[in-house]
Each structure stands twice: as structure tokens, then as C-alpha cells.
Amino acid sequence: MLDRPQKHLVIDHEAIPGFMGAMTMPYPVVDDAVFDRVAPGDQITADVVVVGDPPEVHLENVVVVKKGNGAKTTPSGVLIPPSLEGSPVPDFAFLNQDAKPIGLHQYAGKALLVTFIYTRCPLPDYCPLMTQNFASIEKTLAKNPALYAKTHLLCISFDPKYDTPEVLRNYARPFIADKGNQTFAHWEFASVTEAQKKSILDFFNVFYSEQDGQINHSMRTAIISPDGKVFRSYNDNTWKPADLLADLNKLFSTQTS
């Protein structure tokens, strides 16, 4: 699938030895001319390039080796999911990093920032970037005690079999300041429950599949307003911490106006 506005190709690719297994993922493309040569269903070869610190992934030297029939083979929800904004969020249940069951109802009255990840994600531009963005947001919010008190952050894993509470705690350590028993008071890490996994991913329009131990997924980050409705959602990895913080300020300005 082609996503020209975001400069992404969604590719169903074979395993890349030493890097990742076979999966379907959106990849940034630096050469705009690629979108004039490639069509849905084409078979291509390309170089997966990892550069920078933090590292970023993109495709170069994209070559069409076999033309397809133009049919879209990837679910449209990968890139253009239905709008969530204004939807009431059900009281979904999770298991957090302390092995404590939590429900979204307990954050009523606060703006809840959520993003979906899994700790084994091999692409630095995807789940790790979302966690890094949340780390930046956490630090910025901490400088504003009034805003900090009105918000909560939650990273949600859709890989509960692997992302146990212990794994989530270890994953969080490089990103979150150690505050003793208050470390996760404002920013939690949790896994979906197997019983509600499908319902949660369906509601947030997260494309997910697992085959031979490899996870393919789309992306979703959202701001849930204090009244439990989706205020803003983001369905890719192009948003910046400043974008989310600006939308967060818009949310609170609408409540006070």
C-alpha cells in the first residue's frame, strides 16, 4: 500500500536476518519519485537504512521487480482508520507493571495519554519512538505542577504473553525517572488482558496480527479527555511531543472557556 502524504510504503516483507522477522509494516521513503514507480501489489527490493541517534529507519534503492495488479492487499485500517474523536472509551482492563489490575475508569477527571507498543519491537522509529516521545512529554509536564496533576500517561502493550509486569518494569527503566514507590505514579506501563485484547484493539482501530511469533501492527496514540472521550488521536509515528502537548493545552482551554 502507498501512503504518499506520509511518504510511507506498507510492505509485506520477508525476514531480515539479524534485524527483524517477516512482517507487514509501514516504511518511510526518502525519494518521492518512488511513488510514481510503485503501485499496490508490486513486488520490490529495497535497502532498509538505519541512521542517526536515536536511529531512524527508511527505505532506499527501491526497485520494482514484478508489477502487481494494483489491488490493495493490506487492510485500509493500517493507514486510514476511522476517526475516534468524540467516542466514549469503554472501561477496558489492563495489568500494569506492578501486576496490579487497572481500569480506565480510575483516570476519570484527568486527561489520559495512551499509546500502543510492544517491548520486542525491532524498529526504532515505531514502538521505541513512541516511548521516547512519552518520556519527553513526561519531563515537560513535570515542569508544570498544575498540568502534571491533571494528566496521566499510559503505554499499553498488545503482547501480554511476553510483556509481563516484570518485562514492562525492565523496559521502562531507561525512560522513566526512579522515584521509588512513586516511579509509576504518573506514567504507567500495562498489557492488555487476553480476554479484552480484541475489543481494545478494535476500539482503537489498531491493526494487529501475529504469525510464527512475529507481530505486525499499526500505530495509535490518543488523548482521552477527563470525561472519558477521545479528544485527539494520531495513527502514525510522525507526531512530535510538542504536537501532543499543544493538543493537550487545547483540551484544557476548551474546558475553561
Side-chain angles (χ1 to χ4, degrees):
M1 178 181 287
L2 281 64
D3 182 15
R4 188 184 289 263
Q6 299 294 339
K7 296 186 178 181
H8 285 168
L9 294 180
V10 178
I11 300 174
D12 180 4
H13 64 78
E14 298 176 348
I16 304 174
F19 186 56
M20 74 180 75
M23 62 177 63
T24 302
M25 291 289 288
Y27 288 88
V29 178
V30 295
D31 182 7
D32 290 346
V34 167
F35 296 97
D36 297 323
R37 303 195 303 268
V38 177
D42 288 354
Q43 294 182 21
I44 67 169
T45 61
D47 295 329
V48 179
V49 180
V50 183
V51 296
D53 184 17
E56 297 182 353
V57 176
H58 66 268
L59 296 184
E60 293 183 3
N61 303 320
V62 178
V63 176
V64 178
V65 295
K66 182 178 180 180
K67 294 298 292 182
N69 59 12
K72 294 182 179 181
T73 57
T74 304
S76 61
V78 169
L79 289 175
I80 312 175
S83 175
L84 287 174
E85 292 167 12
S87 301
V89 183
D91 184 23
F92 293 124
F94 307 93
L95 189 69
N96 75 5
Q97 72 288 322
D98 297 322
K100 177 183 177 181
I102 60 174
L104 293 186
H105 72 280
Q106 67 193 66
Y107 307 108
K110 293 186 177 183
L112 179 64
L113 284 55
V114 302
T115 195
F116 286 86
I117 64 165
Y118 75 108
T119 65
R120 295 182 290 168
C121 181
L123 291 175
D125 274 355
Y126 294 88
C127 300
L129 177 60
M130 297 302 96
T131 310
Q132 290 167 6
N133 282 351
F134 265 41
S136 176
I137 292 167
E138 171 76 0
K139 291 178 181 178
T140 301
L141 289 174
K143 298 175 182 177
N144 185 332
L147 196 56
Y148 195 78
K150 295 189 294 185
T151 56
H152 195 86
L153 276 61
L154 181 63
C155 285
I156 302 170
S157 169
F158 38 66
D159 186 17
K161 292 180 180 178
Y162 182 85
D163 286 341
T164 63
E166 181 180 5
V167 169
L168 290 173
R169 288 182 71 87
N170 289 334
Y171 174 81
R173 284 174 180 166
F175 301 102
I176 192 167
D178 186 353
K179 301 176 184 177
N181 60 8
Q182 292 298 306
T183 298
F184 298 99
H186 189 262
W187 180 11
E188 292 179 89
F189 292 73
S191 289
V192 299
T193 65
E194 285 292 349
Q196 289 195 332
K197 181 176 180 177
K198 185 178 186 304
S199 297
I200 292 168
L201 298 183
D202 285 351
F203 175 83
F204 284 100
N205 297 312
V206 177
F207 168 76
Y208 172 96
S209 67
E210 185 172 0
Q211 185 175 7
D212 299 327
Q214 298 296 328
I215 293 176
N216 309 322
H217 68 95
S218 61
M219 311 192 77
R220 174 66 73 183
T221 302
I223 300 174
I224 301 174
S225 63
D227 64 358
K229 296 180 180 179
V230 177
F231 176 75
R232 190 78 73 240
S233 63
Y234 318 80
N235 68 323
D236 57 29
N237 61 350
T238 61
W239 63 271
K240 308 296 183 185
D243 300 326
L244 194 148
L245 288 165
D247 283 335
L248 191 60
N249 283 318
K250 288 178 184 177
L251 166 62
F252 287 118
S253 67
T254 60
Q255 292 185 329
T256 57
S257 60

